[in-house]
Every structure is written in structure tokens, then in C-alpha cells.
Amino acid sequence: MKTPNISKEEIINAFQFRHACKEFDATKKLTDEDINFILQLANLSPSSFGFEPWHFIVVQDKELREALKPASWGAPVKLDTASHFILGLTMKAPMTKWGSDHTKRMMKEIRKMPDDMLAAYSKFHKEFLESDFNLDTDKKLFDWASKQCYIALANMMTGAAMNGIDSCPIEGFHQQKVDQLLQEKFDVDTSLYGLSYMVAFGNRKAAPSKAKNRRDLSEIVTWK
Ligand SMILES: Cc1cc2nc3c(=O)[nH]c(=O)nc-3n(C[C@H](O)[C@H](O)[C@H](O)COP(=O)(O)O)c2cc1C
């Protein structure tokens, strides 16, 4: 594998290019290669213990997009215009708690750990949950996994921008209502998965209405 050598200027340009795209050009569609590239960036994202506590639903069906609208105040224009629309699901406690089938499978089948390493890693996982991070409720476990799901979100959006593709992250939805839709229309077992975010991809209809404004680095960084 070669060491990447993308210039800092190019990278900063991509970060400036990325913005929360409010409306996409509905006539422009990403290719299968584009969307597979974006999903691959999610898949290559880091996760705690390498448990990959996420799942992504790409919603291309028009009726399903319509069904999401009443529960998603931040999304209607994106649902209408985005080339691809993704639901970022996070695993719930039954899948991420110590000793779950999922964590065992990840260690054994995916990460191919020999038995002795698996036992040590598993003990480490238990201690981490119980004492280091005190993840003693289902809600805390979900939030911990959800934070990781957001890393995949950032990677998808940034990587897309580096390839000239626009995006918009969306938390503008009603959790309970979307949960119900996930069960009824998307065949999701909501005892195992919850929605962390939605994210739309495509090409901007128009240039962003305002320039990026951020605080100065001196305000957000402390050097000691
Ligand atoms: C977690 C998260 C949720 C967001 N939810 C929405 C949303 O529901 N609808 C929307 O139009 N923008 C949403 N945004 C976009 C933010 O408003 C936007 O990122 C922020 O104002 C900074 O602007 P920029 O991304 O264009 O630099 C969300 C951003 C993040 C990170």
C-alpha cells in the first residue's frame, strides 16, 4: 500500500467544499461506483474494539422516502432531491454488550483472533464497559456505539467531498416516529438497532448561500 500524498491544500479545499447541502440537483445521479466508494469509507472507519456497531440503509425507493418525510422535518427537500439517501443505524445493547453474539463473531470470524487472544480481548472489553467507561445502562451503550457511527458519517462526507460529491447530515427527525417506521416499513428490528442520523448525497443545485464561518483556531484550541 502506498503512503498517501494528497496535498494539505487539496485536503483543506475539500473541507471548504463540503457544506450542509440544502438542496441537490435532482437531475444529477451518483454512479454505483460513487456510492460504493462512499459506503466503503464507512466500512473502513475505526470503531472501539473493532466491533463496527453500525448498519446503513440506502433508501432509493420513492415511497419509502415519502414515508420518512412526516417524521423528518430536517429532510424533506433532501429526500426529494438527493441522489442517494442513507440511514445511519447504530447497534443497541443486545449486540454490543459483553459476550453478545455480535462481539463474539467479530472477534472470531471477522478479526480471526486465536482463542487465547479472543479470551484476553473479551476480558479487556468487559473491564472497559464496566469500569473504564461505566457503560452500565442500555442507553449509555447505545450512545457509546452511536458516537462511533458518527465517525463513519464524517468519513463518508469528507471522502465524498474529496471526490467532488456533496452531502448533508440530518438529525432533524423525531426518534420515536422514525423508530416506528423502521419497524413497519424497513424491516428493522428496533430492539437491535436505532437510528443515529440520516445523510444525503448528490450534487448541489446551487452554490452555498453563505461562506463558511468558523471561530478562530485560537478560541477552540488550548496549548499547554
Ligand atoms: C449531527 C448533525 C446534524 C445535522 N442536522 C441537520 C439537519 O437535520 N438538517 C440540515 O439541513 N442540516 C443539518 N446539519 C447541518 C449543520 O447545520 C451544518 O453542518 C452546520 O451549520 C455547519 O455548516 P456547514 O456544514 O455547511 O459547514 C447537521 C449537522 C450535523 C453535524
Side-chain angles (χ1 to χ4, degrees), residues 1-121:
M1 184 188 306
K2 64 180 180 151
T3 305
N5 190 24
I6 309 163
S7 72
K8 294 181 183 70
E9 194 188 349
E10 276 289 305
I11 295 171
I12 290 285
N13 182 53
F15 274 71
Q16 291 283 3
F17 173 85
R18 190 216 56 79
H19 71 298
C21 184
K22 299 299 173 201
E23 184 172 0
F24 296 88
D25 181 342
T27 66
K28 291 191 182 152
K29 297 289 172 210
L30 302 184
T31 63
D32 288 350
E33 192 208 9
D34 289 333
I35 193 66
N36 284 328
F37 155 73
I38 289 167
L39 293 166
Q40 191 61 13
L41 301 176
N43 197 26
L44 288 170
S45 296
S47 59
S48 188
F49 291 89
F51 288 153
E52 305 172 24
W54 47 57
H55 188 86
F56 303 94
I57 301 181
V58 186
V59 189
Q60 297 306 86
D61 183 274
K62 223 174 165 331
E63 274 179 32
L64 287 176
R65 284 200 188 187
E66 281 301 321
L68 285 169
K69 280 186 189 170
S72 323
W73 53 266
V77 180
K78 290 98 174 174
L79 282 162
D80 278 338
T81 61
S83 169
H84 288 73
F85 194 91
I86 297 178
L87 305 180
L89 303 184
T90 295
M91 289 180 184
K92 289 188 176 172
M95 298 191 78
T96 54
K97 69 182 179 192
W98 182 78
S100 70
D101 288 347
H102 172 71
T103 58
K104 282 194 220 156
R105 173 172 175 258
M106 290 305 292
M107 290 186 280
K108 204 171 174 65
E109 281 178 37
I110 307 296
R111 304 198 60 192
K112 301 189 182 2
M113 290 183 189
D115 286 348
D116 55 341
M117 191 204 270
L118 194 152
Y121 207 71

Side-chain angles (χ1 to χ4, degrees), residues 18-20 22 73-74 78 150 168-172 212 214:
R18 190 216 56 79
H19 71 298
K22 299 299 173 201
W73 53 266
K78 290 98 174 174
Y150 278 82
C168 187
I170 300 159
E171 276 182 339
K212 243 189 218 320
R214 292 291 194 268

